[in-house]
Amino acid sequence: MDLVGLCKAAKAAKYELQKLSTTKKNEVLMEVSKVLLENNEHILLENAHDIAAATSKGLSIALIDRLRLTDERIAAMAEGLVQVAQLPDPIGEVIERIERPNGLLIEKCRVPLGVIGIIYEARPNVTVDAFGLCFKSGNAVILKGGSDAIHSNAAIASCIRQALKNCDVTEDAICFVEAVDRETTMQLMQMADDIDVLIPRGGAGLIRSVVENSRIPVIETGTGNCHIYIDDSADPKIAKEIILNAKTQRIGVCNACESLVVHEAVKNTVLKEAAAALQEKHVEIRGDEAVVELLNCKPATEEDFGKEYLDYIISVKTVASVDEAIAHINRYNTGHSECIITQDPTHAEQFLNEVDAACVYVNASTRFTDGYEFGFGAEIGISTQMLHARGPMGLKELTSYKYKVHGNGQIRK
């Protein structure tokens, strides 16, 4: 099927999906989970083709990690669908009820967005997460993955369509674009008559291209230049553990820490201990003048303070106050996830209120910015914009609303 036909099929499917009961939607999600596990070996075989190609191209360790599937990751994808099935169905929820003096009853009710297009790079798990959340919220989804994960994505999409068929539900609830060329991507971004919203997931270049070229409304999922601020009252043990987790658990994800901001009063103590632990994990430190003098590390440039490395590199900036820390973070961050490590409740509250980001943490790793960790079952992405949705996007973020107005013969005078 060509792209135009595929988009038309998705548009037709959205009206079928809006009629499905919660019970039927949950039945499908459980069937998809089952089919994925039954096809575990096949999916891993197809993923191995993608990994081999990525390795031969010399892609970075971080990108290959994003691309790689394992038994555990496939099991987690399947479990995510089970969790989505267990979540309340947002569709039909009465958000607000208004009774007017003239007798009109107005109900603000949650409805699906319609057809959601997703353009994404090198993350096969997005294929499952996107389908699960879109389907449970009554939306059809069109998926356009990148060339790096084409075999993995195609195998997963095939499993999902088989599960839909098993449950007598239109297979066009998920439409997978097999073409990986740039021209097809550009064409997809022009299909405003059939696609209701477009969501890019990937690097800064992809996101910028979609925002600049799409005729379809875009929900922007941003890159993650995430900071951890070590306050002058920070607990050294907590600081060390959080920094190590946020930076080194997985380097190729958008919620990994890319920059430390350190109160000058604790640079000789807390920072020195945390830096030693980072260096044991082979993390390269790039610091301001005070940090270079303390650690004999590489000097940080202006670009370093604003960079999402997705690598074993971290920038470090020293400050004299929580106000200076907040100002630095608001200047260089990408609106994703920011953290303060402190024992001072006043500083914690100020940080929470004044830092401009989708997710702001006190004494906890930025790695928790994730739909699964937030209890959403999965996520469609992390929105870093203000309009419609912000932060991890779960079921409710994939809905809009309509007003249902009940009368008994009222006319306007």
Side-chain angles (χ1 to χ4, degrees):
M1 187 184 299
D2 65 10
L3 183 63
V4 173
L6 185 146
C7 291
K8 296 296 182 189
K11 185 173 182 177
K14 82 174 184 179
Y15 297 111
E16 295 300 314
L17 300 180
Q18 291 172 12
K19 301 175 187 178
L20 295 181
S21 67
T22 301
T23 299
K24 189 65 175 179
K25 287 191 280 190
N26 291 342
E27 175 191 333
V28 170
L29 291 170
M30 297 301 290
E31 180 67 12
V32 175
S33 177
K34 174 186 170 186
V35 172
L36 285 174
L37 293 175
E38 289 174 347
N39 287 272
N40 181 79
E41 289 187 15
H42 174 64
I43 294 170
L44 289 178
L45 180 64
E46 294 302 303
N47 181 246
H49 294 315
D50 292 329
I51 294 294
T55 303
S56 67
K57 291 178 188 175
L59 294 189
S60 70
I61 294 173
L63 286 176
I64 292 176
D65 178 61
R66 287 187 178 194
L67 177 60
R68 188 182 305 280
L69 291 176
T70 62
D71 291 333
E72 292 75 18
R73 290 183 181 182
I74 293 175
M77 286 154 50
E79 173 59 24
L81 291 171
V82 173
Q83 291 204 11
V84 171
Q86 294 170 346
L87 293 172
D89 189 342
I91 301 305
E93 174 192 352
V94 178
I95 302 169
E96 187 178 0
R97 183 177 281 107
I98 304 166
E99 294 186 28
R100 300 296 296 147
N102 62 3
L104 287 178
L105 174 62
I106 303 171
E107 293 180 324
K108 184 179 183 180
C109 301
R110 201 174 293 282
V111 297
L113 288 171
V115 177
I116 299 175
I118 301 177
I119 301 174
Y120 59 111
E121 296 174 328
R123 279 193 174 184
N125 65 293
V126 172
T127 306
V128 175
D129 293 348
F131 167 76
L133 290 172
C134 289
F135 185 79
K136 180 68 179 265
S137 54
N139 299 288
V141 63
I142 298 174
L143 297 175
K144 171 67 173 67
S147 59
D148 293 333
I150 184 61
H151 295 92
S152 308
N153 290 334
I156 292 169
S158 177
C159 289
I160 295 171
R161 290 179 68 89
Q162 181 60 53
L164 286 161
K165 184 178 181 180
N166 294 348
C167 295
D168 295 319
V169 174
T170 174
E171 295 175 49
D172 293 328
I174 178 173
C175 292
F176 179 69
V177 181
E178 295 185 4
V180 295
D181 57 281
R182 178 176 173 78
E183 291 73 20
T184 300
T185 303
M186 296 299 291
Q187 184 185 1
L188 181 67
M189 289 190 275
Q190 309 308 307
M191 304 296 289
D193 291 339
D194 300 310
I195 301 174
D196 296 288
V197 66
L198 199 57
I199 303 174
R201 282 196 65 174
L206 169 69
I207 294 166
R208 183 170 57 252
S209 176
V210 173
V211 171
E212 292 175 354
N213 293 294
S214 177
R215 289 184 56 240
I216 304 164
V218 175
I219 299 177
E220 185 174 348
T221 61
T223 53
N225 181 26
C226 304
H227 297 73
I228 293 177
Y229 167 53
I230 307 173
D231 194 28
D232 57 357
S233 66
D235 181 301
K237 184 175 184 295
I238 289 176
K240 176 182 173 181
E241 290 180 355
I242 288 176
I243 291 166
L244 279 178
N245 177 263
K247 182 59 200 174
T248 67
Q249 187 200 34
R250 286 189 71 184
I251 60 168
V253 291
C254 60
N255 55 20
C257 175
E258 303 286 24
S259 184
L260 293 181
V261 183
V262 185
H263 195 287
E264 60 187 13
V266 295
K267 73 177 190 293
N268 293 320
T269 53
V270 182
L271 172 59
K272 204 166 185 179
E273 184 176 342
L278 286 170
Q279 288 167 337
E280 285 182 8
K281 295 284 188 177
H282 308 291
V283 176
E284 177 186 317
I285 296 172
R286 300 179 183 178
D288 64 11
E289 187 176 341
V291 175
V292 170
E293 183 179 346
L294 177 70
L295 302 177
N296 191 29
C297 63
K298 185 175 180 178
T301 64
E302 182 78 7
E303 181 185 2
D304 282 313
F305 289 128
K307 188 166 185 178
E308 182 188 39
Y309 293 110
L310 302 175
D311 201 349
Y312 286 99
I313 307 171
I314 195 166
S315 66
V316 184
K317 168 72 174 176
T318 54
V319 295
S321 67
V322 65
D323 298 281
E324 190 179 343
I326 291 169
H328 176 85
I329 290 169
N330 282 342
R331 177 179 178 184
Y332 291 101
N333 81 347
T334 53
H336 196 293
S337 301
E338 310 297 338
C339 166
I340 181 174
I341 302 174
T342 186
Q343 297 300 307
D344 186 326
T346 303
H347 286 182
E349 191 65 22
Q350 181 184 355
F351 193 89
L352 289 171
N353 291 335
E354 296 181 14
V355 167
D356 183 13
C359 300
V360 190
Y361 293 83
V362 176
N363 297 328
S365 172
T366 57
R367 287 284 289 116
F368 284 107
T369 301
D370 176 86
Y372 186 87
E373 295 292 341
F374 274 33
F376 300 164
E379 70 183 39
I380 211 75
I382 309 293
S383 171
T384 54
Q385 64 186 35
M386 289 288 194
L387 295 179
H388 178 70
R390 201 178 193 200
M393 296 169 58
L395 293 173
K396 288 187 177 181
E397 286 71 34
L398 298 180
T399 67
S400 183
Y401 54 83
K402 68 166 64 170
Y403 289 98
K404 297 180 180 179
V405 184
H406 303 267
N408 55 7
Q410 288 91 338
I411 59 173
R412 184 168 179 175
K413 299 178 180 178

